[in-house]
Amino acid sequence: MTENIEKNSAQRMVFTKLFFSCRAARTGIIIRADMSKTPTMGMDIAIATAAMRKSLHLESCVAFVRQDQGNLYFACAGEGTLFRQIENRPLIDPARRDVFTVCLTQGEDVLIQDSSESRIAPFVPAWFHDVLRGGPFLLLPVKDATGVFVILCGIASRGHRIELGVTRLP
């Protein structure tokens, strides 16, 4: 789902294409993020969270970005109840062993349809568990050559499934 292309190591620009298919439409969003954290990065991430929420019919979508000082990731952009509850809070710690660290350490997409499942629940942070109420969630890492710098997190209502389709450009 996430495709990274490093254009020029001097500029360290990252072009990440997120493709989501939904019933009637297909959305392709390009996140352009200068690793020096230009002012446009926040706008690009906000556009990506809005598109992800709409195209996947999510209840909420949040982008967690690494703080300038330290290793914690905070909720910097998003839409929905989850974002309003956790906005600007540093909640993801790479030192903890939970569902978010799979994204951070391995750069892997995470899709969980039942977060209350006995093998999954112990690895869901308490702050996240309270919001999920057993519902599904999706974590997508946005990375460059140095690693993950943003995690896109989407949640759906309990009883719904997050359905992903594969969309490729020619």
Side-chain angles (χ1 to χ4, degrees):
M1 291 289 171
T2 307
E3 175 183 342
N4 297 313
I5 304 168
E6 189 167 358
K7 288 295 255 185
N8 173 328
S9 61
Q11 292 179 332
R12 291 184 53 146
M13 297 297 266
V14 177
F15 293 87
T16 304
K17 294 179 183 179
L18 302 176
F19 297 100
F20 305 101
S21 64
C22 62
R23 290 182 208 150
R26 294 184 182 177
T27 305
I29 297 298
I30 298 175
I31 300 173
R32 180 176 160 252
D34 182 337
M35 295 308 295
S36 63
K37 305 252 193 295
T38 62
T40 62
M41 181 176 169
M43 178 71 77
D44 296 336
I45 292 172
I47 291 169
T49 59
M52 182 173 162
R53 181 178 182 207
K54 182 178 179 181
S55 63
L56 295 176
H57 309 287
L58 300 172
E59 181 180 308
S60 292
C61 189
V62 177
F64 292 95
V65 177
R66 185 177 20 206
Q67 290 178 323
D68 291 335
Q69 305 296 324
N71 291 326
L72 299 177
Y73 287 69
F74 68 100
C76 77
E79 291 190 345
T81 306
L82 174 62
F83 180 64
R84 288 190 297 277
Q85 291 176 357
I86 64 172
E87 184 175 3
N88 294 322
R89 291 179 47 201
L91 293 169
I92 300 176
D93 182 354
R96 283 193 303 245
R97 188 170 179 244
D98 61 29
V99 293
F100 290 96
T101 55
V102 172
C103 244
L104 290 173
T105 60
Q106 299 176 16
E108 297 289 332
D109 299 351
V110 174
L111 174 59
I112 304 294
Q113 297 292 359
D114 182 359
S115 60
S116 64
E117 185 180 320
S118 63
R119 294 178 296 155
I120 303 298
F123 299 102
V124 176
W127 64 267
F128 195 45
H129 187 272
D130 294 342
V131 175
L132 288 172
R133 298 175 311 276
F137 66 93
L138 172 67
L139 304 176
L140 297 175
V142 180
K143 55 192 173 185
D144 66 0
T146 64
V148 176
F149 61 94
V150 176
I151 293 178
L152 297 175
C153 170
I155 66 170
S157 302
R158 187 178 181 155
H160 290 87
R161 292 181 57 80
I162 297 175
E163 299 295 335
L164 303 176
V166 177
T167 304
R168 298 194 184 270
L169 290 179

